[in-house]
């Protein structure tokens, strides 16, 4: 199984509850297909570098997971079918990127505890 990281931007007109439902939907797509979710981060409403679909802000979310390559295709199809998603990117993490992501996860967890 490979390690992947996906970041997607949701439309800013959603309520917090709708945003959480969308994130849960994508997590369900992954877990139903046998992926193991390692980390989930919600970065919140951020200003984008340029307008996309006449929107200048969006809800940024990151999911880090281990899965087979075929699952990534299913996830990206579900992104494309959901009109709440403005943009997305999924990247396969190589060895050093995976180590860095683990360090970042641990650092993020320590901030959550404090």
């Amino acid at each position: 199984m490979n390690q992947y990281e996906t970041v997607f931007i949701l439309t800013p007109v959603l309520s917090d509850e709708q945003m959480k439902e969308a994130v849960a939907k994508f997590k369900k797509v992954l877990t139903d297909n046998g992926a193991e979710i390692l980390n989930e981060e919600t970065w919140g409403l951020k200003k984008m570098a340029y307008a996309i679909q006449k929107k200048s802000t969006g809800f940024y979310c990151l999911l880090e997971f281990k899965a087979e390559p075929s699952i990534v295709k299913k996830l990206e199809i579900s992104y494309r079918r959901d009109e709440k998603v403005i943009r997305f990117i999924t990247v396969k993490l190589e060895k050093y990127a995976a180590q860095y992501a683990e360090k970042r996860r641990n650092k993020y967890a320590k901030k959550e505890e404090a």
Side-chain angles (χ1 to χ4, degrees), residues 47-63:
K47 187 172 184 335
M48 295 188 279
Y50 55 89
I52 303 172
Q53 299 173 2
K54 297 183 181 176
K55 294 172 179 68
S56 59
T57 59
F59 286 106
Y60 282 68
C61 302
L62 171 129
L63 291 175

Side-chain angles (χ1 to χ4, degrees), residues 22-35:
V23 173
K25 174 185 160 186
F26 298 126
K27 283 174 61 177
K28 186 175 181 338
V29 167
L30 289 170
T31 54
D32 287 352
N33 289 297

Side-chain angles (χ1 to χ4, degrees), residues 9-10 14 18 20 30 35-36 38-39 41 45 53 58 78 80-81 83 95 101 108 111 114:
I9 306 172
L10 299 171
L14 301 175
Q18 290 172 319
K20 289 176 184 173
L30 289 170
E36 174 193 347
L38 303 173
N39 187 25
E41 294 179 21
L45 191 66
Q53 299 173 2
S78 67
R80 287 186 182 96
R81 288 184 177 160
E83 62 189 28
K95 182 174 75 172
Y108 186 73
K111 280 186 181 179

